[in-house]
Amino acid sequence: MEQKRIAAIVGSLRENSYNRQLALAAKEIVGERAIFDIIDYSEVPMMNQDIEYPAPEAVCLVREQIKTADGLWIFTPEYNHSYPGVLKNLIDWLSRPISKEERQVLSRKPIAISGASPGMGGTLIAQDLLVMLLSMLNANVMNSPRLAISNIAQQADEAGHLALSTSLPYLQKQADAFLKFIG
Ligand code: FNR
């Protein structure tokens, strides 16, 4: 049987992002069980309908990575009790049909959601809003388990490197569940 493919999106462009480190930890946990690619969408421009068709090369590349993936795993920070604008911009691009013949790539796509924040809320509000957005786009969100890590700095050293002590078993559980979910 062909190996499953997971595409991951990190909703932070910050180099030392906790959420990027969480995605890297998930990649390690998934290991040989699936191909796990963290998508680079840094070149995706701001949505502008004047440049929508034909779509910019950077948008085409991300769409192709998601289209060919069996599942998408989103790692999101919370900004002002919502998901970051860079993530919304990317999802706006992904929400549009590729062409008259081909529908948008998030439709029926299995999606897992995780997030980490230094605050108490652990990105839960952002995640709930993201679920609302993704359900409107007909995505197949795995609602349980989701992973929301609060006080993330307590699981990092002074340089901000994650050790993921307490949250590791929960990330492992979510990875196991998502691999099952994408079947
Ligand atoms: C934040 N942060 C934040 N945290 C939170 O728990 N709830 C929030 O509403 C917000 N709001 C917010 C707005 C903006 C504009 C910024 C830049 C930050 C703090 C945020 O969780 C923290 O910076 C994380 O470290 C961001 O995630 P990464 O980049 O580490 O993955």
Side-chain angles (χ1 to χ4, degrees):
M1 206 171 67
E2 211 174 301
Q3 211 176 6
K4 294 284 177 189
R5 189 176 278 276
I6 294 173
I9 290 174
V10 178
S12 169
L13 302 178
R14 193 168 79 87
E15 203 180 319
N16 282 333
S17 157
Y18 290 126
N19 286 282
R20 177 168 305 282
Q21 294 183 65
L22 196 60
L24 289 166
K27 181 181 168 80
E28 207 174 304
I29 287 168
V30 165
E32 299 290 301
R33 294 182 288 171
I35 297 163
F36 189 113
D37 293 318
I38 300 177
I39 295 178
D40 178 2
Y41 63 93
S42 55
E43 299 295 320
V44 168
M46 293 299 282
M47 164 52 78
N48 174 348
Q49 287 189 271
D50 290 339
I51 59 165
E52 199 181 351
Y53 296 107
E57 181 65 19
V59 173
C60 295
L61 283 173
V62 175
R63 279 182 176 153
E64 191 57 28
Q65 282 174 289
I66 292 178
K67 198 174 115 185
T68 55
D70 300 287
L72 174 65
W73 194 339
I74 299 176
F75 298 83
T76 187
E78 181 169 289
Y79 282 4
N80 297 313
H81 284 187
S82 188
Y83 36 78
V86 287
L87 185 55
K88 177 64 162 57
N89 182 59
L90 178 62
I91 292 175
D92 283 342
W93 277 107
L94 298 176
S95 72
R96 305 289 277 176
I98 294 179
S99 65
K100 280 193 182 117
E101 294 77 36
E102 240 187 306
R103 63 163 195 246
Q104 51 98 350
V105 293
L106 295 176
S107 184
R108 288 184 240 145
K109 185 66 65 182
I111 299 184
I113 301 174
S114 306
S117 115
M120 296 281 284
T123 74
L124 267 178
I125 304 174
Q127 289 193 26
D128 285 346
L129 293 172
L130 191 55
V131 169
M132 203 192 318
L133 172 63
L134 294 170
S135 80
M136 179 263 181
L137 297 173
N138 200 33
N140 182 16
V141 175
M142 183 178 78
N143 276 305
S144 176
R146 278 198 255 143
L147 180 61
I149 307 178
S150 52
N151 302 315
I152 188 70
Q154 290 178 6
Q155 297 186 67
D157 65 17
E158 274 180 14
H161 298 133
L162 273 193
L164 265 195
S165 40
T166 45
S167 297
L168 190 63
Y170 297 100
L171 188 61
Q172 283 165 339
K173 262 191 194 159
Q174 195 186 21
D176 292 347
F178 194 46
L179 285 165
K180 235 187 203 167
F181 194 74
I182 65 178

